[in-house]
Amino acid sequence: MKIETFELERRQSVWENRVKFNLTESGVHPYKLTELLTPDEQQELLSIRLGYGQTNGSDELRKTISQIYGQSDSDNVLVTNGSSEANFVVTWSLLEPGDELILMLPNYMQIWGIAKSFGITVQPFHLKEELNWQPDMEEVKSLISPKTKMIAVCNPNNPTGAVLTEEVMEDLISLAKDANAWLYADEVYRGAELSNIESPTFWGRYEKAIVACGLSKSYALPGLRIGWLIGPKSFIEHAWSYHDYTSITAGLLSNWIANKALQPDIREKIFSRNRQMLRENLQILEDWIDQHGDKFSFIPPKAGGLAFLRYNFPINSTELTTKLREEKSCFIVAGDCFGMDNYIRIGIGSEKNYFISGLKLLSELLDELSLT
Ligand SMILES: Cc1ncc(COP(=O)(O)O)c(C=O)c1O
């Protein structure tokens, strides 16, 4: 089975660990275990026997996750290897060739690529900058057909950092209900709000709503590779049997650490540290944009360690980001990865001085290319 290159991931995979300044990361500066666990917990971790563990996720972890959401118990939860595995399992287990998938764009392009490779018809709808990165619901409505099997969104959104309004969320649910379609929401950036207000979840609003989340972005723990699905019990049972074929289970140690990180007090500490870092860097970015006159414009992100900037000078986004990487060892994401030239995505979740250094290199390049 053929599959298109996943441009966003491929470019990041090759370069993110080889450059001096990686500003492609959309999460927040990752934790060390010593910052997360008490000395006693670190000792306890060392004594865990390395078996397989419970393959749909440890009972403790699934219970903890279900308690975060409410209206659920552990049988509503499947633990996966990152939310990327959750996206894969949902697409693979629910959609058949010939089905239609209505998909929000721009987006992390994983579901787009997998669905097309499986022979599913992808019907995109667009977040519109002129609508403050909200969709035009008439456009979504016009895509509904008897073959519509799922509406899939990424909320908060990668790459714009936009959060859907309550009204749009309810309209999407009502369209999904009328079409008897699944409503699938990748909510991996939920919790990384620039304000202190957690964005609303799609969970619990509709009996065919499924939500994915994980520890990679708003929890700043991507190295654990822990994600999850929360959905109706019959779907979770069904998805588990597909998960048996992908990776069997997420790592035992990661399950254990994830259960610590998701305890209410630790979760709050993580969110508050991350939001503080994001707010500080967003201010730095806004000042930097001001220094560049009208060359950049953007709608500040509401959530996530990312900012999606439109630029007003004549260079292709892949060319710009390649030059920055090759000449300055600084790496940002080209709008081309989202099919949107003349945009760049800059990660705002790194440590402050590192972030400032990366922005300086971008300024230097723009000067040298006489683009500012
Ligand atoms: C929207 C979205 N979903 C899923 C993923 C995959 O993340 P992970 O598998 O690390 O949870 C990403 C990564 O950038 C993402 O942006």
Side-chain angles (χ1 to χ4, degrees):
M1 193 172 278
K2 293 200 168 54
I3 194 154
E4 276 176 37
T5 301
F6 188 170
E7 281 296 337
L8 175 63
E9 272 308 326
R10 197 84 287 275
R11 292 185 198 192
Q12 283 190 246
S13 299
V14 175
W15 295 111
E16 65 190 344
N17 293 308
R18 294 182 173 149
V19 290
K20 268 201 197 136
F21 295 95
N22 174 31
L23 299 188
T24 62
E25 183 42 59
S26 57
V28 187
H29 186 58
Y31 275 94
K32 293 182 193 171
L33 275 186
T34 47
E35 295 164 341
L36 195 69
L37 302 177
T38 64
D40 283 351
E41 287 171 337
Q42 292 169 38
Q43 278 310 311
E44 202 182 331
L45 180 67
L46 290 178
S47 69
I48 294 177
R49 211 166 275 286
L50 297 175
Y52 273 107
Q54 177 64 24
T55 70
N56 55 337
S58 74
D59 291 346
E60 297 78 16
L61 176 57
R62 287 183 301 115
K63 185 169 173 210
T64 300
I65 293 170
S66 73
Q67 284 169 344
I68 291 173
Y69 288 90
Q71 301 182 59
S72 63
D73 61 40
S74 36
D75 291 339
N76 292 99
V77 177
L78 174 68
V79 174
T80 56
N81 276 282
S83 52
S84 46
E85 188 180 37
N87 285 338
F88 182 84
V89 167
V90 164
T91 313
W92 184 36
S93 66
L94 288 181
L95 302 176
E96 303 287 340
D99 284 346
E100 291 182 5
L101 164 69
I102 297 181
L103 180 70
M104 172 189 277
L105 288 186
N107 205 327
Y108 182 61
M109 298 303 275
Q110 184 195 6
I111 295 178
W112 167 269
I114 299 169
K116 286 184 27 174
S117 157
F118 286 166
I120 295 148
T121 306
V122 180
Q123 303 277 24
F125 69 97
H126 300 88
L127 297 181
K128 304 215 155 121
E129 199 166 11
E130 64 276 19
L131 297 179
N132 217 11
W133 294 126
Q134 297 293 314
D136 171 357
M137 288 308 298
E138 288 307 311
E139 184 191 356
V140 189
K141 215 182 275 177
S142 73
L143 299 174
I144 301 274
S145 89
K147 290 187 176 172
T148 304
K149 191 81 172 282
M150 179 185 287
I151 301 177
V153 302
C154 173
N155 186 52
N157 177 254
N158 175 2
T160 62
V163 174
L164 294 174
T165 63
E166 271 291 336
E167 193 187 347
V168 168
M169 288 176 79
E170 285 306 316
D171 286 350
L172 285 168
I173 292 282
S174 124
L175 283 183
K177 266 187 192 162
D178 291 348
N180 191 26
W182 294 97
L183 190 300
Y184 179 56
D186 179 341
E187 298 183 351
V188 74
Y189 295 97
R190 187 163 170 259
E193 290 76 16
L194 275 292
S195 69
N196 281 328
I197 301 158
E198 194 159 352
S199 40
T201 174
F202 275 94
W203 173 248
R205 290 171 184 250
Y206 168 39
E207 66 275 14
K208 289 183 80 173
I210 302 166
V211 162
C213 194
L215 297 185
S216 295
K217 308 298 179 184
S218 36
Y219 293 86
L221 294 166
L224 290 183
R225 308 307 303 130
I226 288 287
W228 59 84
L229 286 167
I230 176 153
K233 290 182 181 175
S234 55
F235 160 73
I236 291 295
E237 185 76 26
H238 171 77
W240 183 11
S241 68
Y242 280 69
H243 185 245
D244 289 342
Y245 278 101
T246 54
S247 62
I248 309 176
T249 179
L252 180 83
L253 297 183
S254 293
N255 267 259
W256 189 88
I257 299 164
N259 188 47
K260 299 282 175 210
L262 288 171
Q263 294 308 313
D265 51 335
I266 309 289
R267 186 171 178 264
E268 267 322 300
K269 261 192 211 153
I270 293 177
F271 283 179
S272 106
R273 171 257 202 195
N274 291 349
R275 287 169 176 162
Q276 183 55 32
M277 287 180 81
L278 294 178
R279 276 194 290 268
E280 212 172 0
N281 283 348
L282 182 61
Q283 185 58 58
I284 290 166
L285 180 68
E286 287 180 332
D287 294 346
W288 181 87
I289 288 175
D290 285 348
Q291 287 159 21
H292 290 83
D294 59 1
K295 296 296 177 192
F296 294 95
S297 58
F298 86 133
I299 298 174
K302 294 244 175 351
L306 32 72
F308 200 48
L309 274 54
R310 181 202 277 272
Y311 59 85
N312 307 316
F313 38 83
I315 185 168
N316 163 263
S317 60
T318 298
E319 198 186 332
L320 176 67
T321 55
T322 305
K323 274 183 185 298
L324 184 65
R325 178 174 53 72
E326 286 177 348
E327 295 175 24
K328 305 285 176 191
S329 198
C330 177
F331 193 24
I332 59 176
V333 180
D336 280 343
C337 293
F338 306 98
M340 295 172 78
D341 194 16
N342 293 108
Y343 288 86
I344 47 175
R345 192 191 78 185
I346 298 187
I348 61 166
S350 38
E351 282 178 310
K352 182 172 150 188
N353 289 335
Y354 182 95
F355 182 60
I356 293 173
S357 304
L359 288 181
K360 267 195 193 137
L361 292 172
L362 179 52
S363 295
E364 265 178 41
L365 181 78
L366 297 179
D367 278 349
E368 285 163 24
L369 297 174
S370 302
L371 289 173
T372 55

